[in-house]
Amino acid sequence: MYPQDPRPEHLGWVETALRVANPDLPHLRITAQSHFGPYKHIAFVAIHGLSDDRVLRQRLRTEADNLLRELGYTVELEHGRDVYDVAPSRPASAHDEIRMLRCLRAACGAPRA
């Protein structure tokens, strides 16, 4: 077993980056579903807090998936396997938000706006 599951923290980084990049979406939130097994696997990312704009939801899901892949995750639903929900760790303050964005940039190895 792993000492601490990094998925909640990494999902928090991704959600924070999406929220900063989309300030016009104040209710934007993400969650993930994960299969039981290796911690670097995510089955599916769900986007919450949007209207019924399917195109926007798909664009944001793709961005989230891509960021998770940059962090070394496999994002793929494996049909027939049980999943469980993983919620992100969210920033508690503006300073925490900045820290999370810096961590994401450092982990991905590329600057982000």
Side-chain angles (χ1 to χ4, degrees), residues 14-22 28 30 47 60 63-64 67:
V14 170
E15 180 183 274
T16 299
L18 292 176
R19 288 175 56 84
V20 167
N22 296 279
L28 173 65
I30 69 169
I47 307 295
L60 292 170
E63 288 180 31
L67 285 170

Side-chain angles (χ1 to χ4, degrees), residues 55-99:
V55 173
L56 177 60
R57 187 178 313 278
Q58 182 58 44
R59 180 182 64 81
L60 292 170
R61 182 179 299 122
T62 298
E63 288 180 31
D65 288 354
N66 289 340
L67 285 170
L68 287 165
R69 286 185 180 103
E70 286 185 53
L71 290 170
Y73 285 86
T74 299
V75 182
E76 180 177 68
L77 182 61
E78 297 175 28
H79 295 283
R81 293 197 53 205
D82 289 339
V83 295
Y84 63 96
D85 292 328
V86 180
S89 297
R90 295 190 169 101
S93 66
H95 286 95
D96 199 26
E97 181 178 280
I98 291 167
R99 179 196 61 79

